[in-house]
């Protein structure tokens, strides 16, 4: 409760977002479930967005499966989209297939397509055949498919 009071007294949205992110990062290291409950209860906005990103980045390092379960419970919105971007970046090196599946759940079209392109481009560096096969079978817009397929990732 003290952290919530502290954040609400800060004068700017940016200061509130920065504080929420820092508090969540620390809290997630000790009790990610409690931090997740706190973040989930926050109103949509910059503070929730930064807090959710901090939580997924911290929790994803220690327990990516539980972090993913929490992420899957978030309602659509800008904070969820930015959190999915953060999570898919985090897992893309080891599990690009899951990363693109997560990226496909991003609500904002431009953000979704950009994140998928980034993941597929990196995936193609290590497994071009599987990456391009995924692109061919995906529901990406045709122009995005063409761009990725023409450069081989």
């Amino acid at each position: 409760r003290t952290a919530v009071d502290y954040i609400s007294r800060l004068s700017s949205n940016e200061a509130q977002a920065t504080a929420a992110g820092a508090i969540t990062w620390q809290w997630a290291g000790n009790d990610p479930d409690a931090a997740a409950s706190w973040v989930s209860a926050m109103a949509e906005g910059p503070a929730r967005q930064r807090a959710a990103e901090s939580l997924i980045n911290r929790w994803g390092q220690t327990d990516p499966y539980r972090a993913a379960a929490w992420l899957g419970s978030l309602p659509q919105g800008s904070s969820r989209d930015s959190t999915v971007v953060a999570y898919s970046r985090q897992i893309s090196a080891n599990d690009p297939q899951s990363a693109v599946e997560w990226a496909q759940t991003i609500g904002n079209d431009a953000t979704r397509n950009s994140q998928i392109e980034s993941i597929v481009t990196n995936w193609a560096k290590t497994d071009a055949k599987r990456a391009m096969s995924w692109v061919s079978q995906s529901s990406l817009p045709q122009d995005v498919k063409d761009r990725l397929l023409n450069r081989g990732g």
Side-chain angles (χ1 to χ4, degrees), residues 17-87:
T18 300
I23 290 165
T24 304
W25 178 264
Q26 290 300 318
W27 199 355
N30 297 322
D31 189 351
D33 291 310
S37 293
W38 182 62
V39 172
S40 295
M42 295 173 81
E44 182 67 46
R48 178 186 171 126
Q49 182 171 331
R50 190 81 54 86
E53 290 171 11
S54 291
L55 175 61
I56 206 73
N57 285 329
R58 184 76 182 256
W59 203 2
Q61 293 174 355
T62 58
D63 193 344
Y65 300 107
R66 285 186 49 225
W70 172 77
L71 180 56
S73 75
L74 294 178
Q76 288 294 329
S78 62
S79 63
R80 183 191 184 281
D81 284 355
S82 68
T83 306
V84 170
V85 167
Y87 185 70

